[in-house]
Amino acid sequence: MTCKDGTEKIINFIPVQLETGENVMACEDITERKQAEAALKESEGKYRAILNSIEEGYYEVDLAGNFTFFNNFLVKSLGYTKEIDGVEQSPLHEPGNGPIGF
């Protein structure tokens, strides 16, 4: 939406039904939130690009021990393919379950 002063705004329109049965439209300016989301997405993209370009193994796991992220170097150095995404970390640590132990 373009304001009178020429600035662009992103508006979220929300249909609301009143207790009387009337339907009205509420609106919310979500411009700042959308800008923050776009900046975060860009930042995450840069972060992932850096991690995938380094020549060191890097991975992240959740509290349950599942991989949430790992870079290409780690995958190649362990002899796996990208399909290990979401696999529990522990099988890679047990002798005989992976080409390399940590």
Side-chain angles (χ1 to χ4, degrees):
M1 165 182 272
T2 304
C3 298
K4 288 181 181 181
D5 65 1
T7 59
E8 294 288 323
K9 299 284 184 181
I10 302 170
I11 305 297
N12 186 27
F13 293 96
I14 308 158
V16 178
Q17 187 171 36
L18 302 176
E19 290 178 8
T20 62
E22 284 184 273
N23 292 316
V24 296
M25 192 69 69
C27 59
E28 173 185 21
D29 181 355
I30 59 170
T31 307
E32 287 183 22
R33 184 176 77 201
K34 290 295 186 179
Q35 290 170 342
E37 288 171 0
L40 178 60
K41 187 175 181 178
E42 181 181 347
S43 176
E44 287 174 341
K46 288 178 183 178
Y47 165 76
R48 296 294 182 201
I50 291 168
L51 289 177
N52 275 321
S53 66
I54 61 173
E55 298 215 4
E56 293 288 331
Y58 178 87
Y59 67 98
E60 297 172 5
V61 294
D62 60 19
L63 294 175
N66 297 313
F67 284 100
T68 58
F69 176 80
F70 42 86
N71 68 355
N72 294 331
F73 186 87
L74 180 69
V75 173
K76 289 176 187 173
S77 66
L78 294 176
Y80 286 95
T81 63
K82 213 51 169 160
E83 284 79 43
I84 64 172
D85 202 3
V87 175
E88 288 184 23
Q89 178 183 358
S90 56
L92 295 178
H93 288 78
E94 296 172 5
N97 283 345
I100 298 174
F102 293 105

